[in-house]
Amino acid sequence: MDYIGIDEAAKKWGLSKRFVQVLCANGRIEGATRLGRAWMIPANAQRPVDGRTKQARAEHHANMPLPRKTPFLYMSDLYHTPGTADQVGESLAYNHEAQVLFEAEVAYSRGEIDKVYDIANYLLSKHSGFYAVLSAGMLLAQCAVWKGDIDMWRRAKVHIAEAPAKNDNDRDVMQLAISAVDIMVYNVESFPEWFKKGRFEPIHKDAYPAAKVYYAKYLYALGYAVAMGLTKVEGTQGLYIMSVISFSVEPMISWARANNTIMAEIYLRLTCAAIYHNCGKDEDAIYHIDKAIALALPDRFYGVLAEYCRALDTLMERRLSLIDENAWKEVKKLYKIYNEGWSKLSGTVRGKTILTTLSDKEREVAKLAAFGMGNREIADHLHISLSVVKQAVRIVSEKSGLPRSEFAAIL
């Protein structure tokens, strides 16, 4: 059989080279084979049908199964090259449900929350397939976080619980999806026991990238809760658990990188950075922040970066403003919206009043104080003077009306 390369196929079909690469990677060109970093395409291969045409609509059912069995298509290997998110969305035109779902996930990554809200409600109203309903429900919950809307958040969990599960595996994924919604407000109690142990066998392997992301978030939230004294783990206290979590997350990052799951890698790197930052290892945190930024900027994933500003305190600003000042301006705008929404929703769910008037430095000092650190320890941890720490503690107490021992209630 004769073969042609990407360049020749692109010229033959009147498509861009990048788009042909995406079509090959997504299995849209029959017989296309990868050889190293190049693609070999059968010379007689037909140009894939554009899913937006009448011909495609006649050949494909609008509710055909998603190309991956996972609630999050953008965390799968469908999206494997930075800067190609829009092209991947176009390549899914043959499957309407998959395309609009992927577009919603990309929109969320960019902080386009109103667009996400509209698409999520559209998918839920048309009674889409199981994985699409799960993803739409989770996207609706994420919108609720940005908007601080507790009713929307609860409604999202109802939609997930009503997804058309067909077997025990589907029900396991459903349980995990509901737990993933809870982790948005640092609730670590609802995850199934098999997941807490890092066992992913009950779910389809297509969902492993997303599962690893949420497992890392679970570990981080658990370490955070223990350090705050909100959760008890026998034989440990303070930042001990947080300090060892990185040994579990680092291999996940390597796995995501090896499997070309770019979005999962971004989330895992930022979560790992937050872990290192809380443990005073900012050099390691910066390494992962810079790697995540490099992966996120080509597709303008400002929403994801904004989502982690709170956990990373001033580190995100320091790194992103050095790399791309305009990008930081956009992330800063989104972070203000996210922080207000998350604080309102999280406070309502947990029965607390999350303080939003603290500066980044004040919140960072308050967090370390809630971890049980003394003033001198905080000063050494943050490389600032003892007087600055004392002043920050005093300001936090004045703003919150709470003593130092109760700072966990406002964070």
Side-chain angles (χ1 to χ4, degrees), residues 86-106:
D86 292 329
Q87 288 90 337
V88 173
E90 292 173 9
S91 75
L92 294 171
Y94 69 98
N95 185 325
H96 175 70
E97 191 173 76
Q99 184 176 44
V100 296
L101 178 55
F102 185 85
E103 288 176 352
E105 293 166 351
V106 169

Side-chain angles (χ1 to χ4, degrees), residues 308-322:
Y308 277 83
C309 284
R310 184 180 180 87
L312 293 169
D313 300 306
T314 60
L315 275 187
M316 181 64 78
E317 176 182 1
R318 283 163 49 192
R319 302 311 300 172
L320 187 53
S321 60
L322 285 175

Side-chain angles (χ1 to χ4, degrees), residues 26 28 60-76 78-79 85-107 119 122-123 126 128-133 135-136 139:
N26 291 350
R28 295 289 315 286
H60 297 281
H61 192 277
N63 292 318
M64 65 186 299
L66 295 180
R68 299 290 186 275
K69 293 183 178 181
T70 173
F72 285 118
L73 291 179
Y74 75 150
M75 287 189 190
S76 72
L78 287 175
Y79 172 60
D86 292 329
Q87 288 90 337
V88 173
E90 292 173 9
S91 75
L92 294 171
Y94 69 98
N95 185 325
H96 175 70
E97 191 173 76
Q99 184 176 44
V100 296
L101 178 55
F102 185 85
E103 288 176 352
E105 293 166 351
V106 169
I119 295 178
Y122 165 73
L123 288 170
K126 72 187 292 288
S128 301
F130 175 70
Y131 285 101
V133 169
S135 188
L139 287 168

Side-chain angles (χ1 to χ4, degrees), residues 167-305:
N167 50 51
D168 288 341
N169 284 346
D170 285 355
R171 283 181 279 276
D172 284 330
V173 175
M174 182 189 298
Q175 184 181 10
L176 179 56
I178 292 176
S179 301
V181 170
D182 287 339
I183 202 68
M184 296 175 189
V185 292
Y186 287 4
N187 176 6
V188 299
E189 302 302 324
S190 64
F191 280 102
E193 289 302 316
W194 55 266
F195 184 80
K196 291 180 180 180
K197 296 175 181 176
R199 295 175 183 168
F200 302 151
E201 287 93 338
I203 61 179
H204 194 278
K205 64 180 182 179
D206 288 347
Y208 281 13
K212 288 176 182 290
V213 166
Y214 281 101
Y215 188 61
K217 288 188 174 187
Y218 161 73
L219 292 176
Y220 171 74
L222 178 62
Y224 187 91
V226 170
M228 286 282 184
L230 304 174
T231 297
K232 302 294 183 182
V233 174
E234 186 177 354
T236 186
Q237 60 183 353
L239 283 168
Y240 175 74
I241 289 182
M242 183 80 76
S243 68
V244 299
I245 290 174
S246 61
F247 295 109
S248 295
V249 180
E250 287 278 13
M252 294 187 212
I253 295 171
S254 298
W255 182 92
R257 184 176 176 80
N259 285 274
N260 295 315
T261 52
I262 298 300
M263 186 54 64
E265 183 181 347
I266 293 173
Y267 272 109
L268 287 168
R269 286 192 183 278
L270 291 174
T271 302
C272 197
I275 292 166
Y276 280 129
H277 174 58
N278 280 328
C279 296
K281 299 179 179 180
D282 279 357
E283 185 175 342
D284 290 319
I286 287 170
Y287 172 81
H288 285 297
I289 291 171
D290 288 353
K291 291 285 188 180
I293 289 173
L295 294 172
L297 289 188
D299 278 307
R300 308 183 308 283
F301 289 155
Y302 301 148
V304 175
L305 300 179

